[in-house]
């Protein structure tokens, strides 16, 4: 299908989402789309972004848009990238490969998860200087050193430490769906697979995915809770000393992901990190958190460091909202995986094109030629917790 045809049929991320739901087995859809608890945090992420408005501006004449930005010393053609998602290969075969190649071609970041279904070595031929590696913090120092060496040797230049997963969340929708880690095709799940032939054919060719990065560290480990995975056995809840250790051992940009409190941002700045990723894990870890759009302004006021934003982003207007609230860069996870599930290898490129066109259409309403021209926001509710 030609690109213009794709825009006629799938003009927005929501169109890709609903096609993805129709093409994925239920247990895979629940893995991708679910939050935790009653999904109140997931809903708050969306509702808070919807509260962020701009006053349209007129009499600017035709505009030529420049969406390029510099972040941590690298120039990107767009102010957004691909967030890490564990076990992407469960969504679509060679998901990480498709995402890495598309991001490299578009000159945007792709962030590989520690618990992805492909390893840093698998992706080494497909990445460029825009590749980031997300680290779930290993308890064992030898494993920690080895993971850093492997990421560096594969060509990943930016390290992202995730700090907001001290314990496994429950993710009740996933439990109800019958999904376990690693995935096991029980008769119940096979019945779901039989109803999704495109996904089933792809998986028959590629084989069921697993967390390849962790293979060398996980011999003899078994009997995990259904929503936990092998990474939970290896990881720890990091401390300030842990962050210092990583800062000393990683020679390159270092981002800490999963920050909501302004005081934590101040502390991380003193520890020497290069950027802070404001996130509530898209509502997948803790259902009592405020929306990321609510916490971002206070974090912005507390630190001079560059800020990354995620959680709840569903289009180009949301990217502009996050930038206007104080973010320097925006990352999306679900949106790119909706694209993969909906359109296969063509999906990630179409997602990028949809987001770009949506940004430009809304910048035209605001009279903003560049990202620096965005006007002040209107309508953000006050934070719902003490920062």
């Amino acid at each position: 299908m030609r690109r213009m045809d794709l825009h006629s049929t799938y003009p927005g991320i929501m169109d890709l989402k609903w096609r993805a739901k129709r093409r994925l087995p239920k247990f895979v859809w629940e893995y991708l789309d679910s939050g935790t608890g009653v999904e109140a945090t997931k809903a708050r992420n969306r509702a808070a972004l919807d509260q962020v408005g701009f006053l349209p501006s007129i009499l600017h004449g035709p505009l030529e848009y420049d969406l390029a930005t510099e972040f941590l010393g690298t120039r990107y053609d767009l102010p957004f990238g691909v967030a890490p998602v564990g076990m992407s290969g469960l969504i679509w075969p060679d998901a990480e490969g498709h995402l890495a190649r598309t991001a490299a071609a578009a000159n945007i970041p792709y962030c590989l998860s520690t618990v992805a279904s492909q390893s840093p070595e698998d992706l080494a031929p497909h990445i460029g200087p825009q590749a980031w590696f997300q680290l779930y913090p290993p308890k064992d120092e030898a494993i920690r050193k080895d993971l850093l060496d492997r990421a560096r040797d594969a060509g990943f230049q930016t390290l992202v430490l995730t700090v907001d997963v001290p314990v496994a969340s429950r993710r009740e929708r996933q439990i109800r769906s019958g999904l376990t880690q690693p995935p096991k095709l029980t008769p119940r799940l096979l019945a779901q697979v039989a109803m999704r032939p495109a996904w089933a054919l792809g998986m028959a060719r590629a084989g069921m995915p697993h967390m390849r990065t962790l293979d060398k560290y996980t011999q003899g480990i078994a009997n995990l809770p259904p929503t936990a995975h092998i990474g939970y056995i290896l990881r720890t809840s990091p401390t300030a000393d842990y962050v210092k250790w990583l800062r000393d051992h990683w020679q390159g940009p270092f981002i800490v992901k999963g920050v909501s409190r302004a005081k934590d941002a101040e502390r991380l700045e003193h520890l020497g990190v290069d950027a802070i990723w404001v996130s509530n894990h898209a509502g997948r870890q803790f259902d009592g958190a405020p929306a990321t759009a609510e916490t971002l302004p206070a974090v912005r006021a507390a630190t001079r460091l560059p800020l990354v934003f995620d959680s709840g982003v569903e289009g180009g207007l949301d990217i502009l909202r996050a930038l206007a609230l104080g973010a320097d860069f925006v990352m999306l996870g679900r949106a790119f995986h909706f694209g993969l599930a909906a359109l296969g290898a063509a999906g990630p490129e179409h997602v990028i094109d949809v987001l770009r066109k949506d940004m430009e259409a809304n910048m035209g309403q605001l009279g903003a030629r560049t990202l620096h021209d965005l006007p002040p926001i209107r309508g953000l509710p006050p934070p719902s917790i003490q920062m």
Side-chain angles (χ1 to χ4, degrees), residues 34 137 168-170 226 271 291 344 371:
S34 63
S169 64
R170 301 205 56 222
L271 291 172
L371 303 174

Side-chain angles (χ1 to χ4, degrees), residues 5 8 46 72 81 89 99 143 148 158 164 196 208 224 240 256-257 281 295 319-320 327 331 359 364 369 378:
D5 293 334
S8 298
R46 180 66 257 159
L72 296 180
L99 293 168
I143 294 176
L148 296 189
T158 297
D164 63 349
R196 300 293 186 262
M208 285 297 286
L224 291 172
V256 172
K257 176 180 184 289
H281 222 98
T295 61
I319 294 171
L320 298 180
M331 298 290 274
M359 289 184 68
R369 189 186 71 82
R378 295 290 187 272

Side-chain angles (χ1 to χ4, degrees), residues 27-171:
F27 71 94
V28 179
W29 173 254
E30 297 294 80
Y31 174 72
L32 174 60
D33 188 59
S34 63
T36 194
V38 298
E39 302 193 340
T41 294
K42 182 184 175 189
R44 279 193 290 272
N45 283 333
R46 180 66 257 159
L49 282 167
D50 286 335
Q51 292 297 312
V52 179
F54 301 92
L55 288 175
S57 183
I58 62 172
L59 303 180
H60 294 281
L63 299 174
E64 293 186 7
Y65 305 102
D66 180 3
L67 303 185
T69 190
E70 184 171 309
F71 186 75
L72 296 180
T74 299
R75 184 189 181 279
Y76 296 108
D77 288 352
L78 296 161
F80 60 85
V82 185
V85 173
M87 287 289 287
S88 287
L90 183 65
I91 310 304
W92 205 255
D94 192 28
E96 292 91 350
H98 291 313
L99 293 168
R101 288 186 291 270
T102 302
N107 189 32
I108 64 173
Y110 168 67
C111 190
L112 176 69
S113 172
T114 301
V115 294
S117 54
Q118 295 190 51
S119 69
E121 294 83 0
D122 294 329
L123 293 189
H126 309 300
I127 63 173
Q130 75 285 348
W132 301 2
F133 180 72
Q134 177 268 338
L135 181 72
Y136 281 118
K139 188 184 313 179
D140 184 275
E141 185 173 315
I143 294 176
R144 205 183 311 161
K145 288 179 178 177
D146 191 56
L147 278 171
L148 296 189
D149 289 343
R150 290 172 63 190
R152 186 182 298 108
D153 292 345
F156 290 84
Q157 297 190 15
T158 297
L159 179 68
V160 178
L161 171 67
T162 293
V163 295
D164 63 349
V165 189
V167 296
S169 64
R170 301 205 56 222
R171 301 191 190 178

